Amino acid sequence: MRQIVDRRTFLKLLSLASSAATLGHAAQFKGKRVVVLGAGLAGLAAAWNLLRQGYDVVILEAKGRPGGRVRTVRAPFQQGGFAEAGAVRIPSQHALTLKYIRLMDLESKLVAYEQDTGKHLWYLQRRRFTTPAGDWPLDGLTAEEKANPFAMLPVYLGPAIAAAGDPTAPGFPSSAALELDAYRIGEYVKKNGASDTWVQILFASEGNAARMNALAVAMVEAPLLGSARTFGLLGGNDQLPYALAARLGHRVEYHSPVLRVAHGDDGVRVTYRDRSGAQHLLHADHCVCALPFPVLRRVEIAPAFSANKMAAIEQYQLLPIARQYFQTRRQFWRDDRSGHLGGLNMVGTDTVVERVWNTSLLQPDPTMGMLHSYMLDDHAVAFASLDSRERARKWRGAISRFLPGLRQREVLATYAKVWQDDPWQRGGIALIQPDQFEWMWPAARQSEGRVHFAGEHTSVFLGWQNGALESAERVVREIVETTAL
């Protein structure tokens, strides 16, 4: 039975969470206008904090909803079921996410995924097994890996986590952290002695991050190591961006894609199109750009930003990510022939299906199930290449090889999301490849005159809601400090 986090536990979590940037009090600067591009979590939090500081804000959002990659889908599911198309997990170390959940009066909705106990299932090298107490039944593991692959994490991946250090500390990234920039994550762990099969297990557990460099992976994975717990919001994670949007009210203009950003010493002029197709020109003192760079590439910038910034905008990618959801009549995996399966990350595979996550714990109906295949990079691309009418059928067949209970008669509804095909996102999370971090990440964060840049791709918490919020508070400080001058 799920248990909602009580207020005392929530406050303890907040106090134990790692230190993160917080927005201090600043003087009120009435009459200064800021235009925010994008109503994702970064844009909304930046706008809300600026409004509280006394600024006039306008948010331009191309879609008809807030949240960006924090998206909860409720149709076509039955009995109030929902799917997280985007952000699923909230780690207990993410102080900023917890802070905004409290500020939006949502702490009573937090539920820990770890309450859903059960065995973890694997489908590797065409072998189906739960996590063994003894040796793993896989070819290619060293003797130490075979006894317990996860005991080797401190040996193979631990040095990267240690070298990355605290990304919120002054002086980040250090020279030790930047040494990781030369390696893809698979290359790095192999350098430390990992076998090819161990790398398969890593990707089956944490996702196919083969193209990401070791420093970026260390930053993404650090919150999940150790004693971290992961949470979701009962009823859907989009309650956080919707709560922020509600506080901003009419200041969020939906169906308003940005066409041009002109900037100079006297301010910023943004040209955008409304839902009727008419163009408008908006003048502001400052601009917060919270658009993913693959989207920003289609916006005219006059004059061009610095060479490094323009190079970052042109080269920074987002990782392809796709999800295929299945709502089921019952949680049949609780009666699996291998025993009661469970947990959020319930199945790890070396197939294109990649991982099967179980988000049933947060569903309103305790008997129905909610599973999804969570695919990264080339697996997401392979899924996207299928005819949209065939995706659910083919993926159900593929999953049925290791979860035979996923029969057609068990499926009540399906939903698929391919983030790289979303015209207003063009991918899932920041993809930093070898030899890119040292120059591209600082360039992505750097303000250009009166234009400031937010979003998880500019943050010290790559790939997380916490990163979007960290970047929002950073750009607010930049604007406040500039205005004070």
Side-chain angles (χ1 to χ4, degrees):
M1 180 180 179
R2 65 181 174 232
Q3 293 181 330
I4 295 173
V5 175
D6 59 51
R7 183 166 180 79
R8 178 177 295 180
T9 303
F10 176 82
L11 292 175
K12 183 179 180 181
L13 278 173
L14 194 58
S15 67
L16 291 174
S18 60
S19 176
T22 57
L23 189 65
H25 175 76
Q28 304 295 299
F29 299 101
K30 305 291 187 182
K32 296 292 184 180
R33 169 175 277 193
V34 180
V35 58
V36 178
L37 313 184
L41 204 53
L44 290 167
W48 183 66
N49 279 301
L50 286 165
L51 184 66
R52 295 174 73 201
Q53 296 280 346
Y55 292 83
D56 177 29
V57 294
V58 178
I59 306 96
L60 301 176
E61 170 55 51
K63 298 182 293 297
R65 61 167 185 86
R69 283 165 276 166
V70 182
R71 183 182 179 189
T72 305
V73 176
R74 295 171 178 84
F77 300 113
Q78 299 183 22
Q79 300 297 320
F82 65 89
E84 298 293 3
V88 173
R89 297 174 294 181
I90 302 168
S92 54
Q93 285 96 329
H94 278 182
L96 281 174
T97 311
L98 294 173
K99 182 182 86 169
Y100 280 85
I101 286 171
R102 175 179 59 82
L103 289 170
M104 298 298 114
D105 300 318
L106 293 170
E107 62 263 44
S108 65
K109 301 287 186 73
L110 276 174
V111 175
Y113 279 113
E114 285 77 11
Q115 294 175 30
D116 185 10
T117 58
K119 298 179 180 179
H120 187 84
L121 183 69
W122 303 91
Y123 187 70
L124 302 168
Q125 299 179 357
R126 297 186 178 182
R127 295 166 180 160
R128 183 186 192 273
F129 59 94
T130 56
T131 304
D135 285 355
W136 282 54
L138 296 174
D139 300 327
L141 293 173
T142 68
E144 288 180 303
E145 293 169 347
K146 189 177 283 286
N148 183 357
F150 293 104
M152 304 305 294
L153 273 169
V155 177
Y156 298 155
L157 193 57
I161 302 294
D166 179 3
T168 67
F172 176 87
S174 66
S175 58
L178 288 176
E179 289 181 8
L180 304 174
D181 193 22
Y183 299 96
R184 288 186 172 88
I185 185 60
E187 296 169 344
Y188 179 81
V189 295
K190 286 181 185 179
K191 178 179 75 74
N192 291 339
S195 67
D196 288 339
T197 303
W198 190 91
V199 176
Q200 284 183 338
I201 295 171
L202 175 66
F203 290 165
S205 174
E206 301 304 318
N208 178 24
R211 281 202 295 155
M212 294 180 69
N213 80 20
L215 177 53
V217 171
M219 293 171 69
V220 171
E221 291 295 320
L224 302 176
L225 298 180
S227 58
R229 299 172 69 194
T230 56
F231 299 83
L233 291 178
L234 187 64
N237 287 340
D238 70 348
Q239 293 172 96
L240 180 55
Y242 269 97
L244 281 163
R247 284 160 173 77
L248 290 161
H250 67 277
R251 296 174 181 86
V252 185
E253 297 190 13
Y254 297 106
H255 303 287
S256 299
V258 175
L259 305 176
R260 187 174 190 267
V261 175
H263 62 104
D265 293 339
D266 59 341
V268 182
R269 296 167 301 284
V270 175
T271 305
Y272 68 98
R273 186 175 60 245
D274 66 19
R275 69 179 69 202
S276 73
Q279 292 190 16
H280 303 270
L281 181 63
L282 190 152
H283 294 258
D285 297 283
H286 289 268
C287 173
V288 172
C289 179
L291 302 178
F293 281 0
V295 177
L296 184 58
R297 285 172 207 152
R298 304 199 301 270
V299 176
E300 180 186 353
I301 300 169
F305 297 136
S306 65
N308 253 16
K309 175 68 77 174
M310 296 305 296
I313 292 170
E314 287 301 317
Q315 297 180 41
Y316 209 148
Q317 299 179 49
L318 296 185
L319 189 71
I321 288 181
R323 286 189 162 102
Q324 173 63 62
Y325 270 90
F326 298 91
Q327 184 184 39
T328 60
R329 297 181 185 278
R330 60 192 180 93
Q331 297 174 34
F332 59 84
W333 52 89
R334 294 177 176 270
D335 302 313
D336 188 82
R337 64 176 184 259
S338 297
H340 176 187
L341 308 178
L344 172 63
N345 192 1
M346 193 173 74
V347 189
T349 84
D350 56 5
T351 72
V352 292
V353 167
E354 201 161 326
R355 296 171 290 170
V356 175
W357 278 18
N358 165 26
T359 57
S360 306
L361 180 68
L362 271 65
Q363 301 296 315
D365 188 307
T367 61
M368 292 181 180
M370 189 68 75
L371 299 178
H372 75 274
S373 169
Y374 182 13
M375 300 148 279
L376 307 183
D377 211 6
D378 57 347
H379 295 152
V381 173
F383 178 78
S385 70
L386 298 173
D387 187 294
S388 59
R389 296 166 295 185
E390 291 292 300
R391 290 170 179 169
R393 183 183 67 82
K394 290 191 174 183
W395 246 237
R396 186 190 63 78
I399 293 172
S400 293
R401 285 187 293 168
F402 49 85
L403 281 181
L406 190 63
R407 303 179 181 91
Q408 181 58 48
R409 64 176 178 271
E410 280 287 354
V411 177
L412 293 171
T414 66
Y415 168 78
K417 178 63 179 178
V418 177
W419 281 103
Q420 64 269 24
D421 289 348
D422 187 316
W424 304 115
Q425 300 296 336
R426 297 296 184 187
I429 64 171
L431 171 58
I432 301 180
Q433 299 179 71
D435 300 319
Q436 289 187 334
F437 193 99
E438 183 172 7
W439 73 269
M440 193 162 64
W441 184 75
R445 291 164 61 87
Q446 181 62 44
S447 62
E448 295 282 332
R450 292 173 177 257
V451 182
H452 309 262
F453 296 85
E456 61 86 17
H457 58 291
T458 72
S459 78
V460 298
F461 301 101
L462 292 172
W464 295 100
Q465 295 176 80
N466 209 64
L469 296 167
E470 179 272 332
S471 72
E473 296 205 346
R474 171 177 51 78
V475 296
V476 171
R477 286 196 300 273
E478 290 174 3
I479 292 170
V480 168
E481 289 167 4
T482 302
T483 309
L485 295 176

